[in-house]
Amino acid sequence: MEATAPAEALLLVTATTVPGTDMGSLGQRLADSVVHLPGPAAAVVGRSTVPKDTASWAAELGERQGMAGAAADLVMYFARLWFRPSPDLPADVVAVAIACRQVWETHLRGVELSGMTDVVCLPAPDADAWLRGASGCTSLARTAGAPPGLIPENGA
């Protein structure tokens, strides 16, 4: 039986963390944990700064909900995921975003696990805008032990 060609998903990820969390380490753990998806997967995850308007909006929303300072440790990641589509993980970016969030919630959420207290994962609405945003990433993490052949030679 011939292997299905890898599919790709561009994702926008925001994580809320406890003060003092190592954001680079969290990015690596996000990339590494995609191996828990229901099928072969690998990712490159880049850390970026949260745009000021987004940070201001999140801070205001947090204060209105009685969570002053809720956005103080908000971090944004650009994730590029390669995976082999299957019935359990179809080549549908919304399904992939949901599956990634579930994996990250299960394997990383918690002060004792990673310092991440919440994670949101959305499909990129526009590939060009995602690529422009990703070009400003301050660090990149690749899935350690990724299945061979998923990340293209030029994948970064």
Side-chain angles (χ1 to χ4, degrees):
M1 183 162 88
E2 188 176 311
T4 306
E8 182 179 349
L10 303 177
L11 306 171
L12 299 169
V13 181
T14 56
T16 307
T17 63
V18 295
T21 298
D22 179 343
M23 302 305 180
S25 174
L26 179 57
Q28 184 63 57
R29 294 184 76 181
L30 289 167
D32 289 345
S33 64
V34 300
V35 300
H36 297 291
L37 286 167
V44 173
V45 176
R47 182 169 45 106
S48 185
T49 56
V50 176
K52 289 182 182 183
D53 60 338
T54 302
S56 296
W57 174 82
E60 181 182 321
L61 182 62
E63 285 180 24
R64 281 190 291 175
Q65 294 180 1
M67 299 181 298
D73 290 294
L74 183 66
V75 63
M76 184 171 199
Y77 295 95
F78 289 81
R80 189 172 196 170
L81 181 80
W82 293 272
F83 62 99
R84 296 228 185 268
S86 69
D88 292 328
L89 189 63
D92 172 71
V93 72
V94 173
V96 171
I98 291 168
C100 284
R101 183 177 188 276
Q102 289 172 338
V103 163
W104 293 331
E105 287 275 329
T106 301
H107 294 277
L108 298 178
R109 186 176 183 191
V111 175
E112 67 288 345
L113 293 175
S114 69
M116 182 181 75
T117 57
D118 197 18
V119 64
V120 174
C121 182
L122 301 170
D126 177 88
D128 290 334
W130 184 94
L131 290 167
R132 282 192 306 277
S135 70
C137 287
T138 56
S139 67
L140 287 177
R142 290 166 91 64
T143 304
L150 281 180
I151 299 178
E153 293 286 326
N154 62 351

